[in-house]
């Protein structure tokens, strides 16, 4: 059976972004059918009062509205696929605004997670998930020049959806590196386990 992968991209560089290129290479190598949600080509509308009220009025059956329908469509993209790849730049030590808005549409109480006395419980099926993070500078131990709030934040979001073990791979120092894009992409692919690259 063909694997279905949802690719969520959030780079202003669109298809030229190295992270997106790596993601497409991986999907092609896996023979996976790709559903692409490009958050820059098709920006999501900011959250509306209807949406905020639907999520916070403790109403498990909120009134239909356009932003709730958009949330439903984005969640259905997750539900109709088996794997998830997020290719994102780091912007100001965290995730770009476009990706954060996607999070606010898909991480929804009573729909993709439930609140319990023990904490939030994910309601989506667990799936293999890869997050490809591109950054102009360095943020990992040893070469770290800045904090990285993106990884812990996005990991908590994915865990709360029900995705237990997202894997992260990093393309760092992209502003200063002079290596060919193919070299940088190949290095990141090599850093990934067999599960993604063979
Ligand atoms: C608004 C903005 C904020 C950025 N903030 C950071 C940052 O905090 N740390 C960093 O290392 N690079 C930062 N960069 C650089 C990008 O992460 C870098 O250019 C990366 O290669 C972009 O990846 P992309 O090609 O996938 O868009 C920033 C770039 C922009 C446009």
């Amino acid at each position: 059976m063909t694997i279905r992968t949802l690719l969520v991209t959030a780079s202003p560089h669109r298809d030229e972004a190295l992270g997106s290129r790596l993601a497409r290479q991986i999907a092609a190598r896996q023979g996976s059918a790709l559903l692409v949600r490009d958050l820059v080509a098709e920006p999501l509308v900011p959250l509306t009062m209807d949406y905020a009220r639907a999520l916070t009025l403790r109403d498990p059956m909120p009134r239909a509205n356009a932003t709730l329908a958009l949330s439903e469509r984005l969640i259905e993209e997750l539900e109709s696929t088996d794997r998830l790849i997020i290719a994102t730049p780091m912007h100001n030590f965290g995730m770009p605004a476009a990706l954060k808005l996607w999070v606010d549409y898909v991480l929804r109480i009573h729909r993709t997670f439930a609140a319990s006395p023990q904490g939030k419980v994910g309601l989506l099926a667990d799936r293999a998930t890869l997050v490809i993070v591109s950054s102009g500078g360095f943020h990992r131990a040893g070469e770290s020049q800045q904090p990285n709030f993106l990884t812990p934040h996005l990991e908590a979001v994915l865990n709360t959806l029900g995705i237990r073990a997202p894997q992260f791979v990093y393309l760092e120092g992209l502003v200063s590196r002079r290596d060919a894009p193919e070299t940088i992409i190949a290095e990141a692919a090599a850093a990934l386990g067999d599960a993604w690259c063979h």
Side-chain angles (χ1 to χ4, degrees):
M1 219 175 63
T2 311
I3 302 167
R4 293 159 304 170
T5 300
L6 174 63
L7 170 59
V8 177
T9 61
S11 168
H13 297 111
R14 306 274 317 277
D15 291 347
E16 286 175 27
L18 301 192
S20 299
R21 287 171 58 180
L22 173 59
R24 285 172 189 275
Q25 279 183 18
I26 290 169
R29 215 172 294 151
Q30 293 180 332
S32 169
L34 203 56
L35 173 62
V36 180
R37 170 56 64 178
D38 183 334
L39 299 171
V40 173
E42 206 183 325
L44 304 175
V45 295
L47 305 182
T48 60
M49 189 189 290
D50 274 348
Y51 185 74
R53 285 192 171 153
L55 267 62
T56 52
L57 289 183
R58 292 173 171 262
D59 180 358
M61 293 288 285
R63 230 167 8 113
N65 65 69
T67 38
L68 203 55
L70 174 57
S71 163
E72 205 51 39
R73 179 141 42 94
L74 296 169
I75 292 168
E76 280 164 10
E77 289 179 357
L78 282 163
E79 288 175 330
S80 66
T81 47
D82 318 296
R83 292 186 177 201
L84 172 63
I85 303 181
I86 298 175
T88 180
M90 174 183 283
H91 281 175
N92 294 315
F93 323 125
M95 67 178 96
L99 182 59
K100 174 59 168 54
L101 192 51
W102 178 81
V103 165
D104 291 337
Y105 274 111
V106 299
L107 189 56
R108 209 175 95 202
I109 192 160
H110 307 309
R111 179 63 176 88
T112 54
F113 76 90
S116 82
Q118 287 74 41
K120 297 177 177 181
V121 182
L123 299 176
L124 286 187
D126 196 7
R127 73 215 42 222
T129 294
L130 175 64
V131 183
I132 303 170
V133 181
S134 300
S135 58
F138 296 88
H139 52 79
R140 282 184 294 178
E143 48 201 355
S144 166
Q145 296 159 357
Q146 59 187 334
N148 167 14
F149 300 114
L150 195 160
T151 301
H153 188 181
L154 195 50
E155 193 169 39
V157 164
L158 293 168
N159 290 164
T160 306
L161 285 170
I163 296 171
R164 292 205 197 124
Q167 189 174 350
F168 284 75
V169 67
Y170 301 100
L171 283 67
E172 288 180 273
L174 296 184
V175 167
S176 55
R177 281 190 72 169
R178 292 289 164 259
D179 307 281
E182 292 70 25
T183 308
I184 297 171
I185 290 173
E187 258 178 31
L192 282 169
D194 287 355
W196 289 98
C197 285
H198 294 285

